[in-house]
Amino acid sequence: EQATSFYDAVGGAETFRRIVAAFYREVATDEVLRPLYPEEDLGPAERRLRMFLEQYWGGPRTYGEERGHPRLRMRHHPFTIGPLERDAWLRCMRIAVAEIEPELLDDEHRKVLLDYLEMAANSLMNAPW
Ligand code: HEM
């Protein structure tokens, strides 16, 4: 018997779609983050982050099928990510997660998700300034 994944417990595809859509809506007007994104169209970046998070939390493994091993440190190497960028990324992400109602994301799951995002953002810093 398979335990319910975090992905299913918080509402599956629709919840991740909403979080990542709101995150990129914030990125689009963030003066620290927006210049880092190489493409004018944020749509493909939105899709990659959504697929990654779905896979990480036990949902579909489409990210791996399309992109292979995440190697996130390596993939962020081209971008200067210091405390300013980390803070901006987390600010956008916290706004996005806050839009998910408690019926879908209860306190316990919300804390697990936010703690992970903070840890992951810290781990991807590659510049001290
Ligand atoms: C890609 C910035 C943190 C997951 C990218 C890209 C940028 C970026 C500019 C390229 C857009 C694209 O073409 O996809 C940042 C900044 C961060 C940050 C400034 C601040 C700390 C994170 C975190 C995660 C993450 C914490 C995961 C929890 C991803 C993924 C991709 C990506 C999955 C696409 C990788 C691929 O090419 O397959 N990020 N990121 N990022 N980021 Fe971040």
Side-chain angles (χ1 to χ4, degrees), residues 35-66:
L36 289 181
Y37 287 81
E39 295 172 64
E40 198 193 321
D41 180 6
L42 290 173
E46 178 178 333
R47 183 159 182 276
R48 286 188 280 271
L49 180 58
R50 186 180 69 240
M51 290 189 303
F52 171 80
L53 290 174
E54 289 187 335
Q55 173 171 305
Y56 181 87
W57 293 106
R61 307 202 57 82
T62 322
Y63 180 88
E65 285 160 22
E66 289 191 16

mmCIF file of all heavy atoms in Angstrom, residues 35-66:
data_model
loop_
_atom_site.group_PDB
_atom_site.id
_atom_site.type_symbol
_atom_site.label_atom_id
_atom_site.label_comp_id
_atom_site.label_asym_id
_atom_site.label_seq_id
_atom_site.Cartn_x
_atom_site.Cartn_y
_atom_site.Cartn_z
ATOM 1 N N PRO A 35 15.760 40.722 -14.417
ATOM 2 C CA PRO A 35 16.903 40.787 -15.337
ATOM 3 C C PRO A 35 17.737 39.501 -15.417
ATOM 4 O O PRO A 35 18.494 39.319 -16.374
ATOM 5 C CB PRO A 35 17.762 41.927 -14.753
ATOM 6 C CG PRO A 35 16.855 42.699 -13.861
ATOM 7 C CD PRO A 35 15.860 41.721 -13.340
ATOM 8 N N LEU A 36 17.587 38.617 -14.405
ATOM 9 C CA LEU A 36 18.369 37.371 -14.423
ATOM 10 C C LEU A 36 17.849 36.383 -15.453
ATOM 11 O O LEU A 36 18.579 35.523 -15.922
ATOM 12 C CB LEU A 36 18.311 36.683 -13.053
ATOM 13 C CG LEU A 36 19.044 37.297 -11.871
ATOM 14 C CD1 LEU A 36 18.848 36.408 -10.651
ATOM 15 C CD2 LEU A 36 20.525 37.449 -12.176
ATOM 16 N N TYR A 37 16.555 36.464 -15.750
ATOM 17 C CA TYR A 37 15.956 35.460 -16.630
ATOM 18 C C TYR A 37 16.276 35.792 -18.075
ATOM 19 O O TYR A 37 15.915 36.864 -18.562
ATOM 20 C CB TYR A 37 14.445 35.352 -16.374
ATOM 21 C CG TYR A 37 14.180 34.647 -15.060
ATOM 22 C CD1 TYR A 37 14.256 35.333 -13.853
ATOM 23 C CD2 TYR A 37 13.946 33.281 -15.015
ATOM 24 C CE1 TYR A 37 14.087 34.682 -12.636
ATOM 25 C CE2 TYR A 37 13.765 32.620 -13.815
ATOM 26 C CZ TYR A 37 13.831 33.322 -12.626
ATOM 27 O OH TYR A 37 13.673 32.667 -11.436
ATOM 28 N N PRO A 38 16.995 34.873 -18.743
ATOM 29 C CA PRO A 38 17.535 35.171 -20.066
ATOM 30 C C PRO A 38 16.458 35.339 -21.146
ATOM 31 O O PRO A 38 16.656 36.093 -22.089
ATOM 32 C CB PRO A 38 18.437 33.964 -20.379
ATOM 33 C CG PRO A 38 18.107 32.910 -19.387
ATOM 34 C CD PRO A 38 17.415 33.555 -18.244
ATOM 35 N N GLU A 39 15.337 34.637 -20.985
ATOM 36 C CA GLU A 39 14.328 34.683 -22.042
ATOM 37 C C GLU A 39 13.278 35.748 -21.757
ATOM 38 O O GLU A 39 12.919 36.002 -20.610
ATOM 39 C CB GLU A 39 13.637 33.319 -22.189
ATOM 40 C CG GLU A 39 14.567 32.217 -22.663
ATOM 41 C CD GLU A 39 13.900 30.854 -22.600
ATOM 42 O OE1 GLU A 39 12.903 30.648 -23.331
ATOM 43 O OE2 GLU A 39 14.359 30.007 -21.821
ATOM 44 N N GLU A 40 12.766 36.365 -22.816
ATOM 45 C CA GLU A 40 11.711 37.358 -22.653
ATOM 46 C C GLU A 40 10.436 36.696 -22.140
ATOM 47 O O GLU A 40 9.747 37.224 -21.286
ATOM 48 C CB GLU A 40 11.444 38.077 -23.977
ATOM 49 C CG GLU A 40 10.704 39.383 -23.752
ATOM 50 C CD GLU A 40 10.148 39.963 -25.032
ATOM 51 O OE1 GLU A 40 10.834 39.887 -26.084
ATOM 52 O OE2 GLU A 40 9.011 40.478 -24.977
ATOM 53 N N ASP A 41 10.166 35.496 -22.694
ATOM 54 C CA ASP A 41 8.985 34.729 -22.301
ATOM 55 C C ASP A 41 9.317 33.897 -21.055
ATOM 56 O O ASP A 41 10.171 33.010 -21.118
ATOM 57 C CB ASP A 41 8.589 33.821 -23.477
ATOM 58 C CG ASP A 41 7.364 32.980 -23.167
ATOM 59 O OD1 ASP A 41 6.751 33.171 -22.089
ATOM 60 O OD2 ASP A 41 7.024 32.124 -24.006
ATOM 61 N N LEU A 42 8.641 34.194 -19.946
ATOM 62 C CA LEU A 42 8.885 33.442 -18.714
ATOM 63 C C LEU A 42 8.140 32.100 -18.705
ATOM 64 O O LEU A 42 8.331 31.289 -17.807
ATOM 65 C CB LEU A 42 8.471 34.269 -17.495
ATOM 66 C CG LEU A 42 9.344 35.486 -17.154
ATOM 67 C CD1 LEU A 42 8.714 36.302 -16.024
ATOM 68 C CD2 LEU A 42 10.763 35.062 -16.781
ATOM 69 N N GLY A 43 7.314 31.859 -19.708
ATOM 70 C CA GLY A 43 6.513 30.633 -19.761
ATOM 71 C C GLY A 43 7.324 29.349 -19.656
ATOM 72 O O GLY A 43 7.009 28.477 -18.838
ATOM 73 N N PRO A 44 8.379 29.193 -20.456
ATOM 74 C CA PRO A 44 9.187 27.965 -20.378
ATOM 75 C C PRO A 44 9.863 27.786 -19.015
ATOM 76 O O PRO A 44 9.949 26.662 -18.501
ATOM 77 C CB PRO A 44 10.235 28.146 -21.486
ATOM 78 C CG PRO A 44 9.580 29.088 -22.462
ATOM 79 C CD PRO A 44 8.764 30.022 -21.614
ATOM 80 N N ALA A 45 10.332 28.880 -18.411
ATOM 81 C CA ALA A 45 10.949 28.787 -17.079
ATOM 82 C C ALA A 45 9.890 28.369 -16.054
ATOM 83 O O ALA A 45 10.146 27.557 -15.164
ATOM 84 C CB ALA A 45 11.577 30.123 -16.691
ATOM 85 N N GLU A 46 8.693 28.915 -16.191
ATOM 86 C CA GLU A 46 7.592 28.543 -15.299
ATOM 87 C C GLU A 46 7.321 27.038 -15.381
ATOM 88 O O GLU A 46 7.167 26.357 -14.370
ATOM 89 C CB GLU A 46 6.331 29.343 -15.664
ATOM 90 C CG GLU A 46 5.131 28.972 -14.809
ATOM 91 C CD GLU A 46 3.889 29.803 -15.138
ATOM 92 O OE1 GLU A 46 4.041 30.956 -15.609
ATOM 93 O OE2 GLU A 46 2.778 29.298 -14.918
ATOM 94 N N ARG A 47 7.312 26.530 -16.596
ATOM 95 C CA ARG A 47 7.032 25.106 -16.800
ATOM 96 C C ARG A 47 8.120 24.243 -16.159
ATOM 97 O O ARG A 47 7.830 23.225 -15.514
ATOM 98 C CB ARG A 47 6.925 24.836 -18.297
ATOM 99 C CG ARG A 47 6.573 23.430 -18.624
ATOM 100 C CD ARG A 47 5.974 23.266 -20.020
ATOM 101 N NE ARG A 47 5.639 21.867 -20.204
ATOM 102 C CZ ARG A 47 6.524 20.952 -20.599
ATOM 103 N NH1 ARG A 47 7.771 21.302 -20.866
ATOM 104 N NH2 ARG A 47 6.168 19.682 -20.714
ATOM 105 N N ARG A 48 9.386 24.638 -16.316
ATOM 106 C CA ARG A 48 10.486 23.844 -15.752
ATOM 107 C C ARG A 48 10.418 23.807 -14.228
ATOM 108 O O ARG A 48 10.595 22.754 -13.620
ATOM 109 C CB ARG A 48 11.841 24.401 -16.208
ATOM 110 C CG ARG A 48 12.156 24.089 -17.660
ATOM 111 C CD ARG A 48 13.573 24.483 -18.024
ATOM 112 N NE ARG A 48 13.716 25.902 -18.301
ATOM 113 C CZ ARG A 48 13.547 26.464 -19.501
ATOM 114 N NH1 ARG A 48 13.227 25.721 -20.551
ATOM 115 N NH2 ARG A 48 13.711 27.759 -19.663
ATOM 116 N N LEU A 49 10.171 24.955 -13.608
ATOM 117 C CA LEU A 49 10.097 24.983 -12.141
ATOM 118 C C LEU A 49 8.895 24.178 -11.644
ATOM 119 O O LEU A 49 8.987 23.444 -10.663
ATOM 120 C CB LEU A 49 10.026 26.437 -11.636
ATOM 121 C CG LEU A 49 9.947 26.613 -10.116
ATOM 122 C CD1 LEU A 49 11.142 25.972 -9.411
ATOM 123 C CD2 LEU A 49 9.850 28.100 -9.752
ATOM 124 N N ARG A 50 7.782 24.294 -12.376
ATOM 125 C CA ARG A 50 6.586 23.527 -11.977
ATOM 126 C C ARG A 50 6.849 22.022 -12.043
ATOM 127 O O ARG A 50 6.561 21.282 -11.102
ATOM 128 C CB ARG A 50 5.388 23.898 -12.850
ATOM 129 C CG ARG A 50 4.091 23.223 -12.378
ATOM 130 C CD ARG A 50 2.902 23.596 -13.234
ATOM 131 N NE ARG A 50 2.984 23.032 -14.563
ATOM 132 C CZ ARG A 50 3.018 23.730 -15.701
ATOM 133 N NH1 ARG A 50 2.940 25.046 -15.685
ATOM 134 N NH2 ARG A 50 3.111 23.119 -16.858
ATOM 135 N N MET A 51 7.439 21.587 -13.153
ATOM 136 C CA MET A 51 7.726 20.153 -13.314
ATOM 137 C C MET A 51 8.692 19.662 -12.245
ATOM 138 O O MET A 51 8.539 18.567 -11.710
ATOM 139 C CB MET A 51 8.336 19.873 -14.695
ATOM 140 C CG MET A 51 7.384 20.039 -15.852
ATOM 141 S SD MET A 51 8.120 19.425 -17.406
ATOM 142 C CE MET A 51 9.624 20.391 -17.543
ATOM 143 N N PHE A 52 9.691 20.505 -11.946
ATOM 144 C CA PHE A 52 10.669 20.114 -10.925
ATOM 145 C C PHE A 52 9.991 19.932 -9.567
ATOM 146 O O PHE A 52 10.193 18.926 -8.877
ATOM 147 C CB PHE A 52 11.797 21.149 -10.817
ATOM 148 C CG PHE A 52 12.681 20.888 -9.634
ATOM 149 C CD1 PHE A 52 13.672 19.924 -9.705
ATOM 150 C CD2 PHE A 52 12.472 21.553 -8.428
ATOM 151 C CE1 PHE A 52 14.459 19.634 -8.591
ATOM 152 C CE2 PHE A 52 13.255 21.269 -7.316
ATOM 153 C CZ PHE A 52 14.249 20.307 -7.395
ATOM 154 N N LEU A 53 9.194 20.901 -9.162
ATOM 155 C CA LEU A 53 8.554 20.836 -7.843
ATOM 156 C C LEU A 53 7.558 19.684 -7.773
ATOM 157 O O LEU A 53 7.456 19.000 -6.748
ATOM 158 C CB LEU A 53 7.885 22.171 -7.512
ATOM 159 C CG LEU A 53 8.852 23.332 -7.243
ATOM 160 C CD1 LEU A 53 8.074 24.639 -7.072
ATOM 161 C CD2 LEU A 53 9.731 23.070 -6.010
ATOM 162 N N GLU A 54 6.821 19.437 -8.848
ATOM 163 C CA GLU A 54 5.889 18.296 -8.872
ATOM 164 C C GLU A 54 6.642 16.993 -8.633
ATOM 165 O O GLU A 54 6.217 16.151 -7.843
ATOM 166 C CB GLU A 54 5.157 18.235 -10.216
ATOM 167 C CG GLU A 54 4.146 19.352 -10.394
ATOM 168 C CD GLU A 54 3.321 19.167 -11.655
ATOM 169 O OE1 GLU A 54 3.793 18.501 -12.597
ATOM 170 O OE2 GLU A 54 2.217 19.691 -11.703
ATOM 171 N N GLN A 55 7.751 16.843 -9.326
ATOM 172 C CA GLN A 55 8.541 15.614 -9.192
ATOM 173 C C GLN A 55 9.129 15.503 -7.791
ATOM 174 O O GLN A 55 9.073 14.441 -7.165
ATOM 175 C CB GLN A 55 9.656 15.609 -10.240
ATOM 176 C CG GLN A 55 10.652 14.465 -10.085
ATOM 177 C CD GLN A 55 11.596 14.362 -11.265
ATOM 178 O OE1 GLN A 55 11.185 14.267 -12.403
ATOM 179 N NE2 GLN A 55 12.893 14.386 -10.989
ATOM 180 N N TYR A 56 9.674 16.597 -7.287
ATOM 181 C CA TYR A 56 10.313 16.590 -5.969
ATOM 182 C C TYR A 56 9.331 16.118 -4.892
ATOM 183 O O TYR A 56 9.695 15.373 -3.989
ATOM 184 C CB TYR A 56 10.852 17.991 -5.621
ATOM 185 C CG TYR A 56 11.542 18.009 -4.286
ATOM 186 C CD1 TYR A 56 12.891 17.684 -4.162
ATOM 187 C CD2 TYR A 56 10.821 18.304 -3.123
ATOM 188 C CE1 TYR A 56 13.510 17.656 -2.920
ATOM 189 C CE2 TYR A 56 11.440 18.284 -1.876
ATOM 190 C CZ TYR A 56 12.770 17.961 -1.785
ATOM 191 O OH TYR A 56 13.379 17.931 -0.560
ATOM 192 N N TRP A 57 8.076 16.561 -5.005
ATOM 193 C CA TRP A 57 7.094 16.251 -3.957
ATOM 194 C C TRP A 57 6.273 14.997 -4.236
ATOM 195 O O TRP A 57 5.246 14.769 -3.596
ATOM 196 C CB TRP A 57 6.179 17.462 -3.727
ATOM 197 C CG TRP A 57 6.934 18.612 -3.126
ATOM 198 C CD1 TRP A 57 7.314 19.763 -3.763
ATOM 199 C CD2 TRP A 57 7.443 18.727 -1.790
ATOM 200 N NE1 TRP A 57 8.027 20.570 -2.904
ATOM 201 C CE2 TRP A 57 8.122 19.962 -1.687
ATOM 202 C CE3 TRP A 57 7.388 17.890 -0.663
ATOM 203 C CZ2 TRP A 57 8.747 20.381 -0.508
ATOM 204 C CZ3 TRP A 57 8.009 18.317 0.515
ATOM 205 C CH2 TRP A 57 8.673 19.550 0.580
ATOM 206 N N GLY A 58 6.711 14.191 -5.193
ATOM 207 C CA GLY A 58 6.089 12.889 -5.397
ATOM 208 C C GLY A 58 5.041 12.830 -6.481
ATOM 209 O O GLY A 58 4.283 11.862 -6.573
ATOM 210 N N GLY A 59 4.989 13.859 -7.328
ATOM 211 C CA GLY A 59 4.058 13.870 -8.456
ATOM 212 C C GLY A 59 4.709 13.295 -9.709
ATOM 213 O O GLY A 59 5.688 12.556 -9.618
ATOM 214 N N PRO A 60 4.169 13.633 -10.884
ATOM 215 C CA PRO A 60 4.687 13.114 -12.150
ATOM 216 C C PRO A 60 6.185 13.394 -12.327
ATOM 217 O O PRO A 60 6.682 14.413 -11.869
ATOM 218 C CB PRO A 60 3.885 13.889 -13.199
ATOM 219 C CG PRO A 60 2.672 14.375 -12.504
ATOM 220 C CD PRO A 60 3.040 14.543 -11.058
ATOM 221 N N ARG A 61 6.881 12.492 -13.003
ATOM 222 C CA ARG A 61 8.326 12.605 -13.157
ATOM 223 C C ARG A 61 8.706 13.197 -14.516
ATOM 224 O O ARG A 61 9.760 12.896 -15.081
ATOM 225 C CB ARG A 61 8.974 11.235 -12.925
ATOM 226 C CG ARG A 61 8.524 10.631 -11.596
ATOM 227 C CD ARG A 61 9.446 9.574 -11.029
ATOM 228 N NE ARG A 61 10.810 10.010 -10.832
ATOM 229 C CZ ARG A 61 11.246 10.702 -9.763
ATOM 230 N NH1 ARG A 61 10.414 11.048 -8.795
ATOM 231 N NH2 ARG A 61 12.514 11.035 -9.673
ATOM 232 N N THR A 62 7.846 14.061 -15.024
ATOM 233 C CA THR A 62 8.083 14.672 -16.338
ATOM 234 C C THR A 62 9.375 15.476 -16.372
ATOM 235 O O THR A 62 10.068 15.505 -17.400
ATOM 236 C CB THR A 62 6.899 15.596 -16.721
ATOM 237 O OG1 THR A 62 5.693 14.990 -16.273
ATOM 238 C CG2 THR A 62 6.853 15.832 -18.214
ATOM 239 N N TYR A 63 9.702 16.138 -15.254
ATOM 240 C CA TYR A 63 10.939 16.932 -15.251
ATOM 241 C C TYR A 63 12.132 16.061 -15.651
ATOM 242 O O TYR A 63 12.883 16.399 -16.563
ATOM 243 C CB TYR A 63 11.191 17.589 -13.885
ATOM 244 C CG TYR A 63 12.471 18.402 -13.911
ATOM 245 C CD1 TYR A 63 12.473 19.734 -14.304
ATOM 246 C CD2 TYR A 63 13.701 17.801 -13.621
ATOM 247 C CE1 TYR A 63 13.656 20.465 -14.392
ATOM 248 C CE2 TYR A 63 14.893 18.524 -13.708
ATOM 249 C CZ TYR A 63 14.859 19.845 -14.093
ATOM 250 O OH TYR A 63 16.041 20.548 -14.199
ATOM 251 N N GLY A 64 12.278 14.929 -14.970
ATOM 252 C CA GLY A 64 13.402 14.031 -15.243
ATOM 253 C C GLY A 64 13.403 13.499 -16.666
ATOM 254 O O GLY A 64 14.460 13.365 -17.294
ATOM 255 N N GLU A 65 12.219 13.205 -17.178
ATOM 256 C CA GLU A 65 12.126 12.699 -18.553
ATOM 257 C C GLU A 65 12.612 13.740 -19.548
ATOM 258 O O GLU A 65 13.258 13.430 -20.542
ATOM 259 C CB GLU A 65 10.679 12.309 -18.879
ATOM 260 C CG GLU A 65 10.245 10.991 -18.230
ATOM 261 C CD GLU A 65 8.727 10.859 -18.142
ATOM 262 O OE1 GLU A 65 8.018 11.539 -18.913
ATOM 263 O OE2 GLU A 65 8.263 10.089 -17.276
ATOM 264 N N GLU A 66 12.291 15.012 -19.273
ATOM 265 C CA GLU A 66 12.653 16.066 -20.230
ATOM 266 C C GLU A 66 14.025 16.666 -19.971
ATOM 267 O O GLU A 66 14.721 17.057 -20.903
ATOM 268 C CB GLU A 66 11.614 17.198 -20.176
ATOM 269 C CG GLU A 66 10.292 16.805 -20.773
ATOM 270 C CD GLU A 66 9.360 18.004 -20.961
ATOM 271 O OE1 GLU A 66 9.836 19.160 -20.918
ATOM 272 O OE2 GLU A 66 8.153 17.766 -21.136
#
